[in-house]
């Protein structure tokens, strides 16, 4: 075997090895995503049938509140309503409507995601949302504020129109004493808002499929490497 042929084979082996390692790493990542999202999905599904908790101003521990069915009694702060942008529902653009509910007998609020509403024809127009006055009780499921967000540059809210809803930003800009979770409203008055909070399918399933795909790529790379090594 000539030195040049040996060098070519060695280089080919290194490239194939790198490709195999990369495919295995991607498979491991997708497997981790499947387990992580699957576990969260199971917690969320269990929360839907668990006994609801009654939210109060004294509840401040996020870990004790997150992913729980809950009820809250108070009155809407309609003038503090904001619209979360870029929410698509059944192929239609729109917003999520978030209104703080001031809890009865306190200054604390729970930010409630009341549901989806279609975007007006002109972006400069704000959607019209019916918000009842007086004391009401809202039922729903608690969720976390947004945490990890990739932005090329931080965007400031345009009036009631927000791109993201992070806890620290919301507290600072609203000036309200908010609980550390958001309540996704599941029942309530007929206000024309859509409250379809997700699919009944486990989102981890597709990541298992992606992991399998990367494993197949790794096997294909190994097969190619063996064939190329034996080829003169």
């Amino acid at each position: 075997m000539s030195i040049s042929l040996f060098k070519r084979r060695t280089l080919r082996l290194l490239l194939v090895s790198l490709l195999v390692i990369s495919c295995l790493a991607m498979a491991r990542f997708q497997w981790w995503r499947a387990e992580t999202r699957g576990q969260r999905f199971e917690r969320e599904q269990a929360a839907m049938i668990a006994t609801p908790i009654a939210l109060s101003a004294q509840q401040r521990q996020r870990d004790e509140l997150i992913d729980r069915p809950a009820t809250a009694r108070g009155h809407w702060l309609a003038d503090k309503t904001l619209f979360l942008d870029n929410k698509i529902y059944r192929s239609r653009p729109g917003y999520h409507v978030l209104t703080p509910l001031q809890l009865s007998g306190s200054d604390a609020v729970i930010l409630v995601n009341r549901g989806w509403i279609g975007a007006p024809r002109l972006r400069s127009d704000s959607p019209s949302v019916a918000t009842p006055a007086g004391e009401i009780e809202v039922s729903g499921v608690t969720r976390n504020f947004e945490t990890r967000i990739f932005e090329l540059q931080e965007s400031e809210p345009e009036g009631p129109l927000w791109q993201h809803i992070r806890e620290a930003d919301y507290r600072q800009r609203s000036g309200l004493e908010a609980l550390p979770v958001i309540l996704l409203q599941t029942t309530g008055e007929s206000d024309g808002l859509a409250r379809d909070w997700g699919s009944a399918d486990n989102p981890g399933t597709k990541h298992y499929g992606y992991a399998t795909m990367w494993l197949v790529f790794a096997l294909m790379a190994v097969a190619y490497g063996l064939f190329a090594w034996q080829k003169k």
Side-chain angles (χ1 to χ4, degrees), residues 20-21 24-25 27-28 45 48 52 65 73 75 91 163 166-167 169-170 177 179 191 226-229:
V20 171
I21 292 173
L24 292 177
R28 180 67 187 90
Q45 292 300 108
M48 299 297 291
L65 296 176
R73 178 168 291 276
H75 65 273
S91 302
Q163 298 295 325
R166 288 165 285 207
E167 182 180 359
D169 292 343
Y170 180 72
E177 184 185 349
L179 297 188
D191 49 18
L226 292 175
F227 173 78
W229 180 264

Side-chain angles (χ1 to χ4, degrees), residues 2-192:
S2 66
I3 296 178
S4 59
L5 178 58
F6 177 77
K7 288 183 176 179
R8 288 200 300 272
R9 286 187 172 183
T10 302
L11 178 60
R12 189 180 296 130
L13 177 61
L14 290 174
L15 292 176
V16 170
S17 299
L18 180 61
L19 180 59
V20 171
I21 292 173
S22 299
C23 290
L24 292 177
M26 288 300 299
R28 180 67 187 90
F29 171 73
Q30 291 297 337
W31 195 273
W32 172 80
R33 287 279 289 164
E35 292 179 339
T36 302
R37 297 196 67 186
Q39 290 171 0
R40 178 170 179 80
F41 175 78
E42 291 175 359
R43 290 197 304 269
E44 292 175 352
Q45 292 300 108
M48 299 297 291
I49 59 175
T51 302
I53 60 174
L55 297 175
S56 67
Q58 289 71 39
Q59 295 166 314
R60 300 291 176 171
Q61 297 299 318
R62 180 183 292 104
D63 293 341
E64 297 177 0
L65 296 176
I66 199 69
D67 296 333
R68 299 283 302 274
T71 60
R73 178 168 291 276
H75 65 273
W76 296 117
L77 301 181
D79 59 328
K80 299 286 187 177
T81 295
L82 58 90
F83 302 98
L84 202 56
D85 200 4
N86 298 319
K87 299 300 179 182
I88 305 298
Y89 179 68
R90 295 182 179 177
S91 302
R92 291 182 56 198
Y95 309 102
H96 279 180
V97 180
L98 288 88
T99 304
L101 183 79
Q102 185 170 350
L103 301 177
S104 297
S106 75
D107 293 329
V109 304
I110 176 71
L111 185 60
V112 181
N113 189 332
R114 299 168 59 190
W116 177 91
I117 191 172
R121 186 173 62 87
L122 297 178
R123 184 173 174 82
S124 57
D125 295 339
S126 294
S128 177
V129 181
T131 304
E135 187 177 64
I136 63 167
E137 183 173 274
V138 179
S139 298
V141 181
T142 58
R143 292 290 185 261
N144 205 354
F145 280 82
E146 292 183 60
T147 51
R148 298 180 180 179
I149 301 169
F150 174 77
E151 293 181 289
L152 294 177
Q153 61 180 15
E154 186 174 351
S155 56
E156 294 291 331
E158 301 174 9
L161 187 62
W162 291 44
Q163 298 295 325
H164 304 287
I165 183 70
R166 288 165 285 207
E167 182 180 359
D169 292 343
Y170 180 72
R171 287 177 181 274
Q172 179 182 1
R173 294 189 173 114
S174 69
L176 297 173
E177 184 185 349
L179 297 188
V181 292
I182 292 175
L183 183 65
L184 300 187
Q185 185 176 355
T186 54
T187 60
E189 63 281 350
S190 300
D191 49 18

Side-chain angles (χ1 to χ4, degrees), residues 203-230:
T205 303
K206 66 179 181 180
H207 291 284
Y208 284 122
Y210 296 153
T212 302
M213 177 187 70
W214 283 108
L215 288 175
V216 171
F217 287 162
L219 291 174
M220 292 172 62
V222 170
Y224 169 78
L226 292 175
F227 173 78
W229 180 264
Q230 294 174 356

